[in-house]
Amino acid sequence: MLLLLFAIPAGDCSAQTPPPPVSEHAFERVPPTVVKRLATRFSLGAFAGRFEETRLGAVREAVGEGTVQHQGDAGGSIYWLCYRRAQHRLWVVSSGEMGGPDHLVTEVVEELTEKDTETSADCAIIPEKFAPLVFDGKLHLCRVWR
Protein backbone atom coordinates (compact mmCIF):
# COMPACT_ATOMS: atom_id res chain seq x y z
CA MET A 1 0.00 0.00 0.00
CA LEU A 2 2.82 2.43 0.80
CA LEU A 3 4.39 1.86 -2.61
CA LEU A 4 1.22 3.09 -4.31
CA LEU A 5 1.34 6.35 -2.37
CA PHE A 6 4.85 7.06 -3.62
CA ALA A 7 3.80 6.41 -7.22
CA ILE A 8 1.59 9.53 -7.31
CA PRO A 9 3.53 12.42 -8.90
CA ALA A 10 3.95 15.38 -6.56
CA GLY A 11 2.40 17.74 -9.13
CA ASP A 12 -0.91 15.88 -8.93
CA CYS A 13 -1.20 16.62 -5.20
CA SER A 14 -1.38 20.38 -5.73
CA ALA A 15 -4.94 21.64 -6.07
CA GLN A 16 -4.16 25.09 -7.44
CA THR A 17 -2.35 26.46 -10.47
CA PRO A 18 0.29 29.12 -9.74
CA PRO A 19 0.14 32.39 -11.67
CA PRO A 20 1.96 32.45 -15.00
CA PRO A 21 5.58 33.56 -14.66
CA VAL A 22 6.62 37.02 -15.83
CA SER A 23 10.08 37.21 -17.35
CA GLU A 24 12.44 39.40 -15.33
CA HIS A 25 13.76 40.76 -18.62
CA ALA A 26 10.39 41.42 -20.28
CA PHE A 27 10.57 45.19 -19.84
CA GLU A 28 14.31 45.78 -20.30
CA ARG A 29 13.94 46.89 -23.94
CA VAL A 30 10.92 49.07 -23.25
CA PRO A 31 11.72 52.61 -22.09
CA PRO A 32 9.50 53.96 -19.30
CA THR A 33 6.83 56.39 -20.47
CA VAL A 34 5.47 57.57 -17.12
CA VAL A 35 7.21 58.85 -14.02
CA LYS A 36 4.66 57.84 -11.40
CA ARG A 37 3.29 54.48 -10.33
CA LEU A 38 0.48 53.40 -12.65
CA ALA A 39 -1.87 51.59 -10.29
CA THR A 40 -2.20 51.74 -6.53
CA ARG A 41 -5.75 50.37 -6.20
CA PHE A 42 -7.74 47.50 -7.64
CA SER A 43 -11.35 46.47 -7.40
CA LEU A 44 -13.23 43.26 -7.98
CA GLY A 45 -16.81 44.44 -8.37
CA ALA A 46 -17.61 46.40 -5.20
CA PHE A 47 -14.58 45.03 -3.30
CA ALA A 48 -11.82 47.66 -3.24
CA GLY A 49 -8.20 46.88 -2.41
CA ARG A 50 -4.86 48.65 -2.37
CA PHE A 51 -1.59 47.15 -3.52
CA GLU A 52 0.82 46.52 -0.62
CA GLU A 53 -1.95 47.31 1.91
CA THR A 54 -4.72 44.73 1.36
CA ARG A 55 -4.14 41.20 2.73
CA LEU A 56 -4.83 38.11 0.63
CA GLY A 57 -6.97 36.97 3.56
CA ALA A 58 -9.19 40.06 3.16
CA VAL A 59 -9.76 39.22 -0.53
CA ARG A 60 -10.56 35.60 0.38
CA GLU A 61 -13.00 36.70 3.10
CA ALA A 62 -14.76 39.14 0.76
CA VAL A 63 -15.12 36.60 -2.07
CA GLY A 64 -16.04 33.79 0.32
CA GLU A 65 -14.14 31.26 -1.80
CA GLY A 66 -10.56 30.25 -2.50
CA THR A 67 -7.53 28.95 -0.68
CA VAL A 68 -4.28 30.82 -0.22
CA GLN A 69 -1.59 28.75 -1.93
CA HIS A 70 2.20 29.01 -1.61
CA GLN A 71 5.21 28.18 -3.74
CA GLY A 72 8.95 28.74 -3.33
CA ASP A 73 11.04 30.11 -0.52
CA ALA A 74 12.95 33.24 0.50
CA GLY A 75 12.95 35.97 -2.20
CA GLY A 76 11.31 33.66 -4.75
CA SER A 77 8.37 32.84 -2.52
CA ILE A 78 4.83 33.73 -3.65
CA TYR A 79 1.36 33.31 -2.18
CA TRP A 80 -1.81 33.52 -4.26
CA LEU A 81 -5.53 33.07 -4.58
CA CYS A 82 -6.72 31.64 -7.89
CA TYR A 83 -10.20 32.20 -9.27
CA ARG A 84 -11.97 31.30 -12.52
CA ARG A 85 -14.98 32.43 -14.50
CA ALA A 86 -15.93 31.47 -18.07
CA GLN A 87 -12.76 31.93 -20.14
CA HIS A 88 -10.85 33.84 -17.48
CA ARG A 89 -8.46 32.80 -14.76
CA LEU A 90 -7.53 35.40 -12.13
CA TRP A 91 -4.69 35.34 -9.59
CA VAL A 92 -4.40 37.72 -6.65
CA VAL A 93 -0.73 37.45 -5.68
CA SER A 94 1.50 38.37 -2.76
CA SER A 95 5.25 38.28 -3.21
CA GLY A 96 6.75 36.49 -0.21
CA GLU A 97 9.31 39.27 0.12
CA MET A 98 7.32 42.42 -0.73
CA GLY A 99 4.01 41.18 0.68
CA GLY A 100 5.57 40.38 4.04
CA PRO A 101 4.18 38.09 6.71
CA ASP A 102 0.66 39.56 6.27
CA HIS A 103 0.69 38.48 2.59
CA LEU A 104 -0.20 41.90 1.21
CA VAL A 105 -1.39 41.93 -2.41
CA THR A 106 1.46 42.94 -4.73
CA GLU A 107 -0.03 42.03 -8.11
CA VAL A 108 -3.15 40.84 -9.89
CA VAL A 109 -2.91 38.66 -13.01
CA GLU A 110 -5.80 37.83 -15.31
CA GLU A 111 -5.49 35.33 -18.14
CA LEU A 112 -7.88 34.70 -20.99
CA THR A 113 -7.92 30.98 -21.72
CA GLU A 114 -8.77 29.27 -24.98
CA LYS A 115 -11.57 27.20 -23.49
CA ASP A 116 -14.14 27.55 -20.76
CA THR A 117 -12.35 27.23 -17.40
CA GLU A 118 -15.58 26.21 -15.64
CA THR A 119 -14.63 22.57 -16.21
CA SER A 120 -11.26 23.08 -14.49
CA ALA A 121 -11.15 22.40 -10.76
CA ASP A 122 -7.78 23.96 -9.95
CA CYS A 123 -9.19 27.41 -9.05
CA ALA A 124 -12.32 28.45 -7.13
CA ILE A 125 -15.21 29.96 -9.06
CA ILE A 126 -15.47 33.69 -8.37
CA PRO A 127 -19.03 34.97 -8.09
CA GLU A 128 -20.13 37.25 -10.93
CA LYS A 129 -20.62 40.15 -8.50
CA PHE A 130 -16.80 40.40 -8.27
CA ALA A 131 -16.54 41.55 -11.90
CA PRO A 132 -15.09 43.53 -13.48
CA LEU A 133 -11.46 43.77 -12.43
CA VAL A 134 -10.57 47.48 -12.44
CA PHE A 135 -7.35 49.31 -11.56
CA ASP A 136 -7.43 52.78 -9.98
CA GLY A 137 -11.14 53.08 -10.75
CA LYS A 138 -10.60 53.52 -14.49
CA LEU A 139 -8.42 50.86 -16.14
CA HIS A 140 -10.38 47.78 -17.19
CA LEU A 141 -8.87 44.69 -18.74
CA CYS A 142 -10.57 43.80 -21.99
CA ARG A 143 -10.25 41.28 -24.76
CA VAL A 144 -8.94 42.37 -28.12
CA TRP A 145 -10.98 40.81 -30.94
CA ARG A 146 -9.12 39.93 -34.12
Side-chain angles (χ1 to χ4, degrees):
M1 183 70 166
L2 289 176
L3 293 176
L4 292 175
L5 293 175
F6 290 111
I8 300 172
D12 292 343
C13 296
S14 175
Q16 296 241 345
T17 303
V22 176
S23 169
E24 294 177 16
H25 307 290
F27 301 108
E28 287 179 353
R29 296 184 309 261
V30 180
T33 58
V34 294
V35 293
K36 69 179 193 171
R37 186 176 179 163
L38 287 177
T40 58
R41 297 172 291 134
F42 65 93
S43 63
L44 295 166
F47 176 80
R50 295 185 73 79
F51 290 108
E52 298 179 6
E53 291 181 19
T54 302
R55 296 176 301 104
L56 281 180
V59 175
R60 195 253 169 259
E61 289 169 19
V63 173
E65 298 287 337
T67 303
V68 175
Q69 297 291 308
H70 174 252
Q71 176 178 293
D73 56 13
S77 173
I78 62 169
Y79 296 82
W80 71 88
L81 289 163
C82 181
Y83 296 106
R84 60 188 163 95
R85 128 174 78 235
Q87 289 184 277
H88 297 265
R89 189 170 284 152
L90 172 76
W91 290 269
V92 182
V93 182
S94 175
S95 159
E97 184 176 7
M98 298 301 292
D102 291 331
H103 309 304
L104 303 176
V105 176
T106 56
E107 64 184 283
V108 176
V109 178
E110 186 169 27
E111 175 184 57
L112 180 64
T113 60
E114 298 223 358
K115 59 183 178 179
D116 191 349
T117 60
E118 293 296 322
T119 58
S120 171
D122 59 351
C123 298
I125 296 172
I126 190 167
E128 202 54 44
K129 70 180 184 176
F130 292 98
L133 169 61
V134 180
F135 298 98
D136 281 348
K138 55 190 166 217
L139 178 63
H140 295 245
L141 296 182
C142 63
R143 180 176 183 176
V144 177
W145 298 94
R146 295 181 187 195

